[in-house]
Structure formats: C-alpha cells, structure tokens
Amino acid sequence: MRVVKLEDIELISSTISKSTYSEYDSGATYSEGDMVCVSFEEDGTTERTPYEIYKSEANENQGNYPPDSQTKWSSQGATNRWKMFDGFVNTQTESSSSFTVVIDTSRCNALGLFNIVAKTVTLSTSAGAEVIKTEIVDLDDSPVFDYYDYFFAPFYYKDTLYWEIPYRANSQTTIIFEPYLGEAKCGICTVGCAQKIGAVRYGVQPGIIDYSKKDTDDLGRTYLSQGLYAKNIDLTFSMLNSYIDLAYRVLADVRGTPAIFNANEEGTNFDSLLVYGFYENFDIIIPGPTISRCSLEIKGLT
C-alpha cells in the first residue's frame, strides 16, 4: 500500500497552445459573451496557475478582474493546456496529434496519470544533462482469449498510469502522449512523494461511485442519464507494529486533500486499485505484539 502526498505542479513547457483567447486587459471594455484568458494575478506580473477562461456576463465591462468579479465574469474552467493540472479528473487536455509536457519533479518519487486516452506514453526523467530513467509504456490492455478476440474484438487501453521517479534534488520529467485513433488526452497529471505503509490484504473491494441520474415516473418508467463516476476502494492492509506510527502520520498528513492511493502490490498493475482521491475513515487494529491491521475507505475524485 502506497500513499503519495502530492506537490504543486510546476509546468516547464507544453506543446499545447496557451489559449485560443486573448489575455485579459484591465484597460479594455468587454461586452456580454466576450471570452478572455487569465494567466496572471491582478498585478499583471505574477503568474497564476492554472490558466483559466472567463466569460463576460455584462456589457461595458471594464476594470473588473475576472477571478474577483463573479457578478461580471463566469469561469469556464482551465485552458486546454492546463486542464490536466486543474485538479479534476474528467476535464482533459486534448490533442488530435501527439503532445509533450515537461514538469518539475524535484524531490518527488512518483508520478500519476489519470483518465488517459493514448496508445503509448513515453516518460523520461533527467537531472541536468543526465537522463536517469526513461520508458515507453504501451497502454494496450486488450484481453485475448481466442482467435476471434485477436482479429475482431475491440481494443481496450489502460487509462491510468503510475510511474516511479528516481529521487533527485533537481529533476524534470518529459511526458509524450501518442494518440490512439486521432485522440490524445490526459485528465490529471500529478507528482509527489510516495510512502509505503503496509501490504494490502486479500479481500480488497474496488468499485465506483456512480453520479448518473435515474428518474422513475408515476407509471414506473425509468429514465437514465449517464453521468460521471469516481473510483471507490475499501481495503485492509497489514503492517509491522513498528510501522503503526508511520502509517498514522502519513494518513493524517493527507487528510482532506487529494492524494494518490496505490493498492497494487508486487506483480499487480490494476487500474481499479490506483485512485486519485481522498480517504474518509481509517482505523488501526492492534491484535497482537507483531502485526497490526489498518482498514481504509478511499473515495475517488471526478
């Protein structure tokens, strides 16, 4: 069981364009429906992340800094470049061709990618001029049971990726997304420090939280509207009693904040056991002098 405490993303470069909209200008006058990009604080010099798009909700709209003027402007979310860093799994940075991002991974040892659409992902971590780790990850996860599946069954690709980064005081990681059927997308890119706190026991229960709407009228007819979903895991892991305080501190440290929870153990690589989310409850049980157990309820974010 690994828990990753996340660090703020520092985007070094991206081949995705900054925005299709012009930068907000405090001296300009905007009409209702006008769209602007906001990438700086109100002082005009301090960079603001993620970059966001705002829509004017008034005519003769001048001198109203969008993030601080909710009656004059409405947020339309992060720009395409920044959607993969905005904290939401289901808002994706998209491209019809391959795209590359470079992020600072100094003092981090884990990277997580969620809600990916790609054929392959190439990752390369460097410290200065030295490349210290590189890998091309093929996301094809299509099961093949017989000749029919090999020739005719649809392809299935993994949408989640966990990558261990060699720890360095100063490093950066380059990520290249190669498209599948003309689409390359990433919902969330996260980095941080992973800490192993125990070994997951058999009986782990992965599932989903379904946000689809289900309405039944007076005649008993049910209407379904498919919505978003989030991962959900209930599990128990074991640890030596000497690790009790470590597990307690690690989990207390990520309370109420997004983190990566990796319930895969040696020899497994299940997407369903890798969650970007938070935990609701944890309880440590000390049944004897050597080994203890911890139960954990993990809720994914959308």
Side-chain angles (χ1 to χ4, degrees), residues 9-288:
I9 289 289
E10 181 180 339
L11 179 61
I12 297 173
S13 67
S14 173
T15 59
I16 300 292
S17 62
K18 177 181 175 181
S19 176
T20 57
Y21 298 106
S22 299
E23 185 70 25
Y24 167 74
D25 181 356
S26 60
T29 300
Y30 296 97
S31 300
E32 184 176 358
D34 287 348
M35 310 283 278
V36 297
C37 173
V38 178
S39 53
F40 292 94
E41 299 291 355
E42 193 168 8
D43 60 16
T45 58
T46 305
E47 190 174 27
R48 184 178 188 271
T49 55
Y51 298 174
E52 289 185 291
I53 298 168
Y54 282 84
K55 177 182 177 182
S56 176
E57 299 295 343
N59 290 312
E60 299 182 2
N61 190 355
Q62 183 188 32
N64 300 299
Y65 180 61
D68 296 336
S69 306
Q70 296 181 5
T71 59
K72 299 288 187 179
W73 296 91
S74 60
S75 175
Q76 306 298 300
T79 63
N80 188 38
R81 174 187 286 188
W82 281 94
K83 282 183 178 179
M84 63 188 292
F85 307 112
D86 66 355
F88 299 103
V89 175
N90 287 285
T91 57
Q92 296 169 298
T93 294
E94 302 180 6
S95 177
S96 59
S97 59
S98 65
F99 70 93
T100 303
V101 297
V102 182
I103 58 175
D104 183 14
T105 50
S106 301
R107 297 181 175 85
C108 295
N109 63 5
L111 180 149
L113 301 174
F114 297 85
N115 199 12
I116 312 166
V117 176
K119 185 176 182 180
T120 64
V121 175
T122 302
L123 303 108
S124 180
T125 299
S126 59
E130 178 190 5
V131 177
I132 52 180
K133 183 180 180 181
T134 187
E135 183 179 1
I136 300 175
V137 181
D138 186 350
L139 299 178
D140 185 1
D141 194 36
S142 305
V144 178
F145 298 106
D146 51 33
Y147 284 109
Y148 179 88
D149 286 340
Y150 183 83
F151 287 105
F152 303 111
F155 288 96
Y156 293 95
Y157 283 78
K158 294 177 68 66
D159 64 359
T160 306
L161 177 61
Y162 179 87
W163 201 60
E164 294 182 349
I165 303 171
Y167 185 93
R168 294 290 189 278
N170 293 286
S171 69
Q172 63 182 38
T173 297
T174 301
I175 311 170
I176 304 173
F177 298 87
E178 292 293 341
Y180 171 64
L181 297 180
E183 290 185 321
K185 301 179 183 180
C186 181
I188 280 288
C189 173
T190 57
V191 295
C193 291
Q195 176 66 59
K196 185 174 177 64
I197 56 176
V200 176
R201 298 167 62 94
Y202 282 107
V204 59
Q205 299 177 35
I208 66 169
I209 306 169
D210 185 12
Y211 295 103
S212 299
K213 292 183 178 180
K214 312 168 189 67
D215 296 317
T216 302
D217 64 18
D218 294 339
L219 298 177
R221 295 173 297 192
T222 299
Y223 300 89
L224 302 178
S225 177
Q226 190 177 68
L228 301 177
Y229 75 91
K231 294 179 181 178
N232 176 53
I233 302 180
D234 289 344
L235 58 82
T236 302
F237 63 88
S238 298
M239 58 193 164
L240 295 173
N241 283 1
S242 57
Y243 283 80
I244 290 174
D245 286 344
L246 172 65
Y248 192 95
R249 285 193 298 266
V250 168
L251 291 171
D253 204 27
V254 298
R255 69 193 186 281
T257 61
I260 296 175
F261 298 89
N262 189 355
N264 284 288
E265 293 294 342
E266 191 70 28
T268 67
N269 186 28
F270 298 119
D271 284 358
S272 56
L273 299 186
L274 183 60
V275 178
Y276 169 78
F278 62 99
Y279 71 85
E280 288 196 330
N281 297 290
F282 80 91
D283 294 293
I284 296 176
I285 305 165
I286 309 175

